[in-house]
Amino acid sequence: MRVTIAEVARRARVSKTTVSRVLNNKADVDAATAIRVREVIAATGYIPSAGAVGLARGVTRTVGMLVPGLTWPWMGEVLQGVADVVESKGYGLLLSTANRGADSLEEFSRQVSAKAFDGLLLVEPPDAVRHLRVLHDSGLPVVVIDDRGRRPAFPSVGTSNRQGGAAAARHLLATGRTRLATVTGPRNFGCTSDRLNGFHDAVREAGLTLDPRLIIEGDFTGESGEAAILQLLESGPEFDAVFAHNDFTAAGVLAGLRKAGRAVPEDVAVVGFDDIPLAAHTQPPLTTIRQPSREMGETAARQLLAQLGGAPQPDEPLIVPTSLVIRESTQTGRE
């Protein structure tokens, strides 16, 4: 069995805190006690954990990360960006999900109370911001990734959703489309209003207006995209382009257009948002607005580690810009 710090403390007749102080070479342990502890460590072959080494100095060199779940299409890229940064700086990563709702948050709170990590990265689960604000105000460094436009009171890293929506509209207008439809995300998400407002901005700049009958609320799923298009084709006004607020929705839009016998991009051009791996493999491949997921994870991790090092937190959210990726769903031959 692996020797624990508790076993070392018992054999050396000291507390676990004293053992960790010896491991951290603290000067406030008398020489005889330190020698006795080190003799026990040598005799037992005890290998200290990062947590044990950090106990006396009040740090764990571990970063916590709380995410809604691991099935979100861009979550893997965010996690990879975070891991690349924290591991390169000698930190561990403690990952928690909010899959079980209140039960998950309760377990997470126990980890916070036990000081299992030095700071927290958060991809906002529903209803968690109020709880996390209390933790932040009590001294826990927190950085939010993808704040959904809610602008919490603690540091956050987002992307240029409004500019991305504008870029989608400008691209569609540049290909000669003038009757633009939109399948949005849930209306209570800040990114939904940002993407739609940016789309509106660019259309107005071109001297045009959006027909409100061509704006359908979706839920970021392929099913909602397909249903929205079939609804528009059945009862809505004519349209020659669709901006879907994520790539899953856009894939559903493409499926609905195929069912209706509409050619893409000849009859209808389609633009998505995110640039998840699926986007390059739809039929036809999807033009989309790339959300820089890995860069967002990297930026948030660097910001959190800077705070742990004593740097002041920024006054405004850190924004990692989107970019347009052109594929065949808007331009035949990608001209």
Side-chain angles (χ1 to χ4, degrees):
M1 292 179 61
R2 180 178 176 179
V3 178
T4 66
I5 191 173
E7 177 64 13
V8 172
R10 186 186 68 78
R11 294 192 184 195
R13 302 185 304 280
V14 297
S15 68
K16 290 189 292 183
T17 300
T18 298
V19 175
S20 64
R21 288 182 181 279
V22 172
L23 291 170
N24 283 279
N25 297 311
K26 294 290 186 179
D28 56 353
V29 181
D30 69 82
T33 300
I35 291 171
R36 187 167 72 249
V37 169
R38 293 194 183 281
E39 287 175 345
V40 172
I41 289 173
T44 59
Y46 171 66
I47 300 174
S49 67
V53 173
L55 180 61
R57 67 173 185 261
V59 297
T60 66
R61 291 198 68 81
T62 298
V63 169
M65 187 167 183
L66 178 63
V67 303
L70 300 178
T71 58
W72 288 22
W74 45 268
M75 189 61 69
E77 286 291 298
V78 172
L79 288 172
Q80 189 61 61
V82 168
D84 287 346
V85 171
V86 300
E87 290 174 4
S88 72
K89 300 300 183 182
Y91 279 73
L93 182 63
L94 179 62
L95 180 64
S96 301
T97 71
N99 283 326
R100 295 179 293 114
D103 289 343
S104 294
L105 291 177
E106 182 178 344
E107 173 61 29
F108 172 74
S109 296
R110 285 195 288 269
Q111 293 176 347
V112 174
S113 299
K115 298 183 179 178
F117 46 79
D118 301 328
L120 174 67
L121 295 167
L122 169 71
V123 180
E124 183 193 334
D127 305 320
V129 166
R130 183 179 303 174
H131 178 70
L132 267 297
R133 184 177 294 117
V134 173
L135 296 177
H136 177 261
D137 291 345
S138 70
L140 177 69
V142 178
V143 176
V144 176
I145 304 170
D146 185 29
D147 63 10
R148 301 184 185 176
R150 297 185 185 183
R151 301 296 183 263
F154 31 83
S156 63
V157 174
T159 192
S160 51
N161 284 297
R162 187 163 189 148
Q163 291 85 343
R170 292 190 187 104
H171 175 65
L172 290 171
L173 294 168
T175 64
R177 317 293 169 150
T178 58
R179 300 184 302 278
L180 309 183
T182 306
V183 184
T184 74
R187 68 181 63 191
N188 62 317
F189 278 26
C191 63
T192 295
S193 58
D194 286 347
R195 292 170 192 180
L196 185 59
N197 288 337
F199 199 72
H200 269 287
D201 291 343
V203 170
R204 281 194 295 268
E205 288 171 3
L208 302 173
T209 58
L210 289 177
D211 188 332
R213 296 173 297 171
L214 292 176
I215 301 173
I216 305 293
E217 182 180 359
D219 61 6
F220 287 148
T221 65
E223 292 78 8
S224 72
E226 182 173 343
I229 285 308
L230 295 177
Q231 174 186 333
L232 287 175
L233 290 172
E234 180 178 350
S235 58
E238 282 296 315
F239 57 94
D240 57 12
V242 179
F243 172 42
H245 277 200
N246 78 344
D247 291 343
F248 279 150
T249 302
V253 168
L254 292 173
L257 291 169
R258 278 196 303 273
K259 282 186 177 181
R262 300 292 183 95
V264 177
E266 291 80 4
D267 298 329
V268 180
V270 179
V271 175
F273 203 109
D274 283 340
D275 196 29
I276 61 174
L278 170 70
H281 302 287
T282 55
Q283 293 299 321
L286 181 65
T287 291
T288 188
I289 304 299
R290 179 178 178 269
Q291 178 167 224
S293 303
R294 182 175 295 206
E295 293 91 330
M296 290 165 68
E298 292 170 346
T299 301
R302 283 194 292 268
Q303 173 58 39
L304 182 62
L305 294 182
Q307 288 185 57
L308 294 178
Q313 67 182 45
D315 295 328
E316 298 292 332
L318 300 176
I319 302 300
V320 186
T322 54
S323 57
L324 175 67
V325 179
I326 300 175
R327 299 191 179 98
E328 284 82 353
S329 69
T330 56
Q331 293 186 349
T332 302
R334 299 178 69 174
E335 298 174 354

